[in-house]
Amino acid sequence: MKEQNRYRFTEIMIFSVMWAFVFTVPVMLSFNGGHFNIPRVQHELIRILPFFLLFYFHHFFLFTLFHKGKKFLYFLLNILAIIAAVIVSSNLDFIFRLLELPVPHHPPGPEQQNMVARYFYNFLISILVVGLNLAVRISFHWMQSQKKYEQLQKENFRTELELLRHQVSPHFFMNTLNNIH
C-alpha cells in the first residue's frame, strides 16, 4: 500500500508540474515591450480551461472505467467528453462575452475556414491531452503491477526456501537415516 501511494504521489506531481507549466506559459508570453497584457492572459487561460477540465475528467473518472475493463463505455464517454471539450473550446467567444472580456481577434480570412481550423486544432489538442494522460496512467499502472509481481516472486522463492530448509532439518534427516538403516 505504501508503494502504491508513492506511485500515486509521483503521478500527481508529474501532472501538477505539467499543468503548472501550461498555465504559466501564457503569463510569461504576455509581456509585450515591458507591459503586461492582462486581457491576453485572461483569454489564454480561458482557452486552456476546457482542456484542463477534459484532462481532469479523464484522469479521475474515465480511466477507472478503462482500468476496470469497461472499455466500450470508456471509449464512448471519452468520445463524448472530447466532443464537448472541442465544442466549448471552439466557441469561447460566448464565454468571453459572458465574463465581459473583449473578444479576441481572429485571423483574417473566411469565417467558415477559421471555424473549421479552430475545431480541428481543438480536436487535436483534446486527443493529445487524453492520450498523454492515458499513456502516463497506463505506465504507472504497469510499474505498480510489475512491482507487485516482483514481490510475489520474492514471496514464492522465500516460501520454497523455507520448505527446503524444513525438509533438510536435522530431525527429518535423522528420521530418514533411521528408515534407511
Side-chain angles (χ1 to χ4, degrees), residues 15-179:
F15 286 132
S16 298
V17 168
M18 180 188 75
W19 280 107
F21 176 74
V22 168
F23 278 109
T24 55
V25 166
V27 174
M28 301 306 287
L29 295 177
S30 67
F31 287 103
N32 189 9
H35 301 310
F36 189 65
N37 191 348
I38 293 175
R40 180 176 178 196
V41 172
Q42 291 171 335
H43 288 151
E44 295 302 321
L45 292 178
I46 291 172
R47 283 185 59 216
I48 294 170
L49 190 61
F51 303 114
F52 177 72
L53 293 175
L54 174 66
F55 170 84
Y56 187 84
F57 183 67
H58 181 270
H59 186 80
F60 291 105
F61 300 111
L62 292 181
F63 186 76
T64 56
L65 295 173
F66 183 83
H67 181 64
K68 290 179 181 177
K70 299 177 181 177
K71 298 215 182 345
F72 178 75
L73 185 60
Y74 164 78
F75 284 113
L76 180 67
L77 290 176
N78 210 4
I79 289 170
L80 292 175
I82 288 173
I83 289 172
V86 168
I87 290 172
V88 169
S89 61
S90 297
N91 298 303
L92 287 175
D93 294 346
F94 174 74
I95 296 173
F96 292 134
R97 287 187 192 104
L98 186 68
L99 296 174
E100 298 178 0
L101 295 171
V103 178
H105 174 70
H106 298 296
E111 185 61 33
Q112 274 188 325
Q113 185 179 2
N114 286 338
M115 186 60 87
V116 171
R118 265 192 284 167
Y119 274 95
F120 182 72
Y121 172 74
N122 292 328
F123 177 74
L124 286 179
I125 291 175
S126 297
I127 294 293
L128 289 173
V129 164
V130 169
L132 177 67
N133 181 254
L134 184 64
V136 172
R137 290 290 307 261
I138 287 175
S139 298
F140 274 96
H141 186 264
W142 178 78
M143 288 188 319
Q144 283 177 327
S145 62
Q146 282 296 110
K147 194 72 168 177
K148 285 179 185 177
Y149 177 74
E150 289 173 6
Q151 288 173 347
L152 287 173
Q153 286 274 31
K154 287 179 184 178
E155 186 65 33
N156 188 22
F157 289 142
R158 211 174 296 130
T159 305
E160 287 179 11
L161 184 61
E162 286 297 318
L163 181 63
L164 288 174
R165 283 183 184 159
H166 181 68
Q167 288 177 353
V168 181
S169 70
H171 180 68
F172 178 78
F173 188 64
M174 291 304 289
N175 282 342
T176 306
L177 285 176
N178 282 336
N179 285 340

